[in-house]
Amino acid sequence: MRAVRLMEWKSDPVLVEVDDPVPGPGQVVVRIGGAGACHSDLHLMREFEAGLVPWNPPFTLGHENAGWVHALGADVSGVELGQPVAVYGPWGCGACPRCLLGMENYCEDVAHAPVPGGGGGLGMDGGMADLMLVPSPRLLVPLPDGLDPVDAAPLTDAGLTPYHAVRRSWPKLVPGSVAVVIGVGGLGHLAVQILKATTAARVVAVDTRAEPLALAANEGADLTVEPDASAVAVIRETTGGRGADVVLDFVGSESTIALGAAVSRFLGDVTVVGIAGGTFPFNFFALPYEVSLQTTYWGSRPELVELLELAARGLVRPTVTTFPLEEAVHAYHLMEAGSALGRQVIVPSARG
Ligand code: NAD
Ligand code: ZN
Ligand code: ZN
């Protein structure tokens, strides 16, 4: 089969022929119908180096995947051949207290995970290939009727990550509240939709580019702002001077974290999701009182079930551009050049 593989750190991935995966006992092979190109893969192929994470290339990229069950190993139950499924991306040990709650993103026994702190496309072979080996049916979520793998794939990360970040702040997103989304890319455009679908907050979208801001406005953002010198004043004004109850930063650079902090409100949340590596100088006076500053990583399996349900009902709808497997590297280059809108999804197979 064909696979888009990262062969070494600090290199472009390459499309190569590899053997089809064969499912061992308890394992499942999925035929991939959609594999999202995440900005984290750009960080992976440009900035990561040996020693940063407990795994190394070579491996097949693609950590947001959906498709159809293609082959079952011995002793697999609960899934059927041909069934459309989403692949839950963070692979934990499956047995620690966090994993038992479905929060494999925060597994506390990573020594017993398939790969410590990773998953398919992150240290192990992912979904930018015709077929993908999944270690357990526990990591598959059946697609509800009306949702196809091309739309479901980005929901497993570009959707699930902001869904988790929004959901944990739900108590603060009451009528009258304001949420700020910084970076309206793959994750951010879904954050705008998720905020609109699940809360009463007014939504302010921030991006350096006009196209994502137009997309955000189209998806219901109440105000769109460029992160220029007037951004803090403009955002504060729209909150009646009080500040934003929740800031979701999908960039995570020095300047975006500073912007998030500067527009936050007493008792608010500033959640940094993007991994651009910015820092924040913290002291008693650095933030309004009782603002919580946190990072989040991915989301839980129950949250993925909820999000797929929202999408099947049409309340969340990824903006997707599709590419054949041969153009996966081109898709990453477009994202790197700042020419991607919404999520770019690689489609190895159109049917199961
Ligand atoms: P993307 O490239 O699709 O979107 C990024 C958006 O940010 C683009 O629209 C870009 O124009 C905009 N942007 C860039 N600089 C900006 C600035 N200074 N101010 C405002 N907007 C700016 O990326 P993505 O796939 O949505 O990923 C976003 C970030 O989240 C990446 O750093 C990625 O690695 C990270 N990520 C984190 C998690 C997690 O679990 N924490 C999961 C997935 C992705
Ligand atoms: Zn990702
Ligand atoms: Zn675990």
Side-chain angles (χ1 to χ4, degrees):
M1 67 163 186
R2 304 162 303 162
V4 177
R5 290 175 69 75
L6 186 68
M7 304 307 284
E8 53 187 334
W9 294 126
K10 304 206 175 181
S11 71
D12 266 354
V14 289
L15 181 66
V16 293
E17 275 293 320
V18 295
D19 291 342
D20 287 4
V22 178
Q27 301 179 331
V28 181
V29 170
V30 173
R31 178 167 292 283
I32 297 296
C38 179
H39 202 113
S40 297
D41 293 331
L42 279 179
H43 293 298
L44 260 186
M45 61 180 88
R46 297 289 178 253
E47 295 146 31
F48 278 39
E49 55 193 11
L52 191 67
V53 286
W55 31 267
N56 286 298
F59 57 86
T60 302
L61 288 173
H63 58 265
E64 18 180 276
N65 306 301
W68 303 270
V69 174
H70 175 74
L72 302 174
D75 304 324
V76 172
S77 57
V79 287
E80 287 171 22
L81 290 175
Q83 185 181 358
V85 288
V87 181
Y88 176 65
W91 295 350
C93 72
C96 74
R98 293 286 184 256
C99 283
L100 288 175
L101 289 170
M103 299 169 71
E104 301 206 18
N105 49 328
Y106 297 143
C107 172
E108 291 174 325
D109 186 11
V110 294
H112 290 101
V115 59
L122 298 166
M124 293 178 74
D125 290 340
M128 290 209 181
D130 292 303
L131 302 169
M132 176 182 178
L133 185 67
V134 178
S136 166
R138 149 188 121 244
L139 302 167
L140 299 176
V141 177
L143 293 193
D145 287 346
L147 195 57
D148 67 35
V150 171
D151 284 337
L155 293 172
T156 66
D157 173 26
L160 177 57
T161 302
Y163 185 74
H164 171 71
V166 169
R167 195 184 197 288
R168 68 185 295 289
S169 291
W170 271 352
K172 299 184 183 183
L173 293 167
V174 297
S177 66
V178 173
V180 175
V181 173
I182 304 176
V184 189
L187 275 68
H189 90 287
L190 287 167
V192 170
Q193 295 186 25
I194 290 162
L195 283 161
K196 282 286 158 186
T198 67
T199 81
R202 280 185 298 137
V203 176
V204 178
V206 182
D207 204 290
T208 46
R209 299 183 292 144
E211 298 82 2
L213 290 179
L215 179 66
N218 193 39
E219 285 165 348
D222 300 274
L223 178 70
T224 60
V225 179
E226 286 180 29
D228 57 20
S230 66
V232 172
V234 170
I235 295 170
R236 282 222 160 254
E237 192 189 323
T238 200
T239 66
R242 293 183 292 268
D245 299 80
V246 173
V247 177
L248 303 164
D249 180 353
F250 297 102
V251 180
S253 68
E254 205 86 4
S255 68
T256 59
I257 300 175
L259 172 62
V263 301
S264 63
R265 181 185 187 181
F266 294 138
L267 298 161
D269 280 337
V270 176
T271 302
V272 178
V273 180
I275 59 175
T279 57
F280 181 74
F282 184 73
N283 66 41
F284 189 87
F285 301 104
L287 288 161
Y289 296 121
E290 295 200 33
V291 167
S292 297
L293 173 63
Q294 58 263 307
T295 56
T296 58
Y297 179 64
W298 226 322
S300 72
R301 190 169 48 241
E303 287 168 339
L304 178 58
V305 173
E306 292 176 6
L307 178 59
L308 294 177
E309 176 65 22
L310 271 182
R313 290 171 56 198
L315 296 171
V316 170
R317 194 179 295 273
T319 291
V320 163
T321 311
T322 60
F323 297 81
L325 203 48
E326 295 75 15
E327 290 178 23
V329 180
H330 175 59
Y332 283 119
H333 288 164
L334 288 176
M335 174 184 269
E336 194 162 31
S339 326
L341 188 66
R343 195 47 129 202
Q344 304 184 125
V345 176
I346 313 307
V347 183
S349 304
R351 287 191 297 114

